[in-house]
Amino acid sequence: QNYLDNFWPDLKAAHELFDSILQARRERESENQENNGKEYPEHLPVEILEAGIKSGRYIQGTLNVNKHRAQLEAFVRLEGFGRKETG
């Protein structure tokens, strides 16, 4: 904001954009506080996930996403397996 105030005081669009970004950031921070610091809400409680993993209904692994083709390429590396499982 100091930069805009000092070097571009008459550029109204830039000041409006800055205010919009600042407001969005504040809203995100308040949402994170409401969610106890979690960025995304949980789909299922931890207890259900753990029971599902133990029973074999769910699998546990690590999701790896191609940063260059994130919409098209990803794979899950399963716990205890050396090879890649795609899906």
Side-chain angles (χ1 to χ4, degrees):
Q1 186 171 3
N2 290 338
Y3 174 79
L4 291 174
D5 291 340
N6 292 330
F7 294 102
W8 302 97
D10 299 328
L11 193 57
K12 185 178 179 182
H15 286 273
E16 290 174 355
L17 177 61
F18 176 80
D19 291 339
S20 175
I21 292 170
L22 186 61
Q23 180 181 356
R25 183 177 173 197
R26 287 179 182 154
E27 289 174 4
R28 178 180 281 182
E29 288 173 356
S30 68
E31 288 174 1
N32 281 344
Q33 288 175 352
E34 291 172 5
N35 294 330
N36 297 324
K38 296 177 183 172
E39 188 170 349
Y40 301 102
E42 295 177 356
H43 294 283
L44 294 173
V46 174
E47 299 81 25
I48 293 175
L49 290 175
E50 289 174 346
I53 291 170
K54 286 180 183 178
S55 70
R57 181 174 182 185
Y58 301 126
I59 57 172
Q60 184 173 0
T62 304
L63 176 65
N64 293 286
V65 180
N66 183 331
K67 68 180 179 181
H68 302 290
R69 298 174 45 128
Q71 297 292 326
L72 302 173
E73 292 183 14
F75 66 90
V76 175
R77 187 177 310 261
L78 299 178
E79 300 288 326
F81 291 92
R83 67 184 204 288
K84 298 176 185 175
E85 296 291 330
T86 59

